[in-house]
Amino acid sequence: MLVSAKEMLTKAKAGKYAVGQFNINNLEWTKSILLTAQELQSPVILGVSEGAGKYMCGYKTIVGMVNGMIEELGITVPVALHLDHGSFEGAKKCIEAGFSSVMFDGSHYPIEENVEKTTELVKLCGEKGISLEAEVGAIGGEEDGVIGKGECADPNECKAIADLGVTMLAAGIGNIHGKYPDNWEGLSFETLDAIQKLTGDMPLVLHGGTGIPADMIKKAISLGVAKINVNTECQLAFADATRKYIEAGKDLQGKGFDPRKLLAPGAEAIKATVKEKMELFGSVGKA
Ligand code: 13P
């Protein structure tokens, strides 16, 4: 059964570890992530961007697939199905479709409008027991074709949004989606520290988990980050393993054309990436 992310993130923040959000794009990715979480006895969050939602035939299809897998694969660890960087309308659709968690990314609105829309979603999510992630300060890089520059959120604006009753808060601290450029200045721990001081027990979310050095991840967790999003790293691992399989000519030998065989190396590569991240984030054995 899908669960809200509230309990797993409250425990993570108190226990000084983070739960990974891994974005899904198809059946193989979803299966790999769920099996790894079960094997490592780790709670997990499956992230779905609006673009991936369209690709996978809509939110209802995804809810059906994930619920079916949880049952058929015998997954007993806590699993949240979460809309990643949702629009206001997208968040409402996911709430209706049976997601157990949604993010409303109102960071590009003026703060008053972000507050107004987030307030409405706090009410809707509260009625259904769904967790809600809000964002302050744009996360840099590309997300579904929208390119943003890494920003540092205003800690007072973070407090204003946190006080609305959201479950978790994503705040820009110089993080970027996708690969970090060579001249990246690193995370702003000063900003993170100031945000945590003002928001208290609120679990903080670190987007752009791909390519952040392990020591920075650990420091971010020590300063209140309880959820870390990873997408690009799984994509790279999947693509690289598939490319190697094709280059080795295995797909040209009769049964190698079988999509189940063609996609298997990529699925294994995702499992390895998820395992590495869960170990780094400290969520292993925390289910
Ligand atoms: P990366 O693609 O950089 O891992 O970021 C993922 C993310 O933050 C999704 O919201």
Side-chain angles (χ1 to χ4, degrees):
M1 200 186 76
L2 288 170
V3 296
S4 139
K6 188 175 174 71
E7 193 183 330
M8 63 172 91
L9 293 182
T10 306
K11 281 190 188 159
K13 172 120 185 179
K16 295 242 178 262
Y17 61 92
V19 178
Q21 173 193 305
F22 301 96
N23 285 47
I24 59 172
N25 285 284
N26 61 20
L27 180 143
E28 284 75 14
W29 291 45
T30 313
K31 184 176 165 189
S32 292
I33 297 164
L34 288 178
L35 287 175
T36 308
Q38 183 68 21
E39 187 194 322
L40 299 182
Q41 286 296 298
S42 167
V44 73
I45 299 170
L46 302 176
V48 179
S49 68
E50 293 201 350
K54 280 194 197 113
Y55 176 76
M56 289 187 277
C57 303
Y59 303 127
K60 285 186 188 157
T61 309
I62 298 167
V63 168
M65 176 179 75
V66 173
N67 276 326
M69 271 193 203
I70 289 175
E71 194 183 323
E72 301 276 352
L73 296 173
I75 305 295
T76 54
V77 297
V79 179
L81 179 60
H82 179 74
L83 173 67
D84 188 30
H85 289 281
S87 61
F88 188 58
E89 290 310 317
K92 286 197 203 166
K93 274 192 195 156
C94 285
I95 293 169
E96 280 308 308
F99 274 52
S100 63
S101 188
V102 293
M103 173 182 190
F104 167 57
D105 180 355
S107 63
H108 48 281
Y109 291 115
I111 185 72
E112 298 75 24
E113 201 171 347
N114 192 354
V115 165
E116 192 186 307
K117 290 190 157 68
T118 302
T119 304
E120 190 175 333
L121 290 170
V122 165
K123 190 165 166 285
L124 286 176
C125 289
E127 284 162 8
K128 295 216 174 192
I130 292 171
S131 44
L132 174 64
E133 176 177 340
E135 178 172 326
V136 181
I139 315 285
E142 186 185 327
E143 182 79 12
D144 272 347
V146 182
I147 308 213
K149 192 168 145 291
E151 253 181 44
C152 279
D154 175 341
N156 289 311
E157 289 188 359
C158 290
K159 179 169 167 47
I161 296 280
D163 286 350
L164 300 175
V166 300
T167 318
M168 60 273 207
L169 184 73
I173 54 166
N175 41 333
I176 302 175
H177 290 120
K179 281 188 165 177
Y180 285 85
D182 292 339
N183 61 354
W184 181 51
E185 287 170 18
L187 298 176
S188 169
F189 293 112
E190 204 184 316
T191 309
L192 181 58
D193 191 36
I195 294 168
Q196 148 144 285
K197 283 196 174 113
L198 286 177
T199 56
D201 292 337
M202 171 72 48
L204 302 175
V205 183
L206 183 62
H207 282 246
T210 296
I212 299 180
D215 58 333
M216 284 196 202
I217 293 278
K218 292 208 162 123
K219 184 151 185 198
I221 293 172
S222 78
L223 291 171
V225 164
K227 171 176 179 279
I228 303 179
N229 295 4
V230 179
N231 178 27
T232 305
E233 212 158 319
C234 288
Q235 293 189 351
L236 293 172
F238 185 82
D240 199 43
T242 310
R243 182 182 53 76
K244 282 188 182 138
Y245 179 85
I246 291 171
E247 278 175 6
K250 292 195 182 122
D251 61 325
L252 302 175
Q253 295 161 9
K255 285 187 176 163
F257 277 121
D258 179 343
R260 293 177 226 164
K261 292 213 164 59
L262 187 62
L263 297 177
E268 286 304 313
I270 288 178
K271 279 189 194 163
T273 304
V274 170
K275 181 169 190 269
E276 187 192 311
K277 295 296 169 195
M278 285 178 167
E279 284 167 353
L280 174 62
F281 301 166
S283 68
V284 174
K286 298 294 194 326

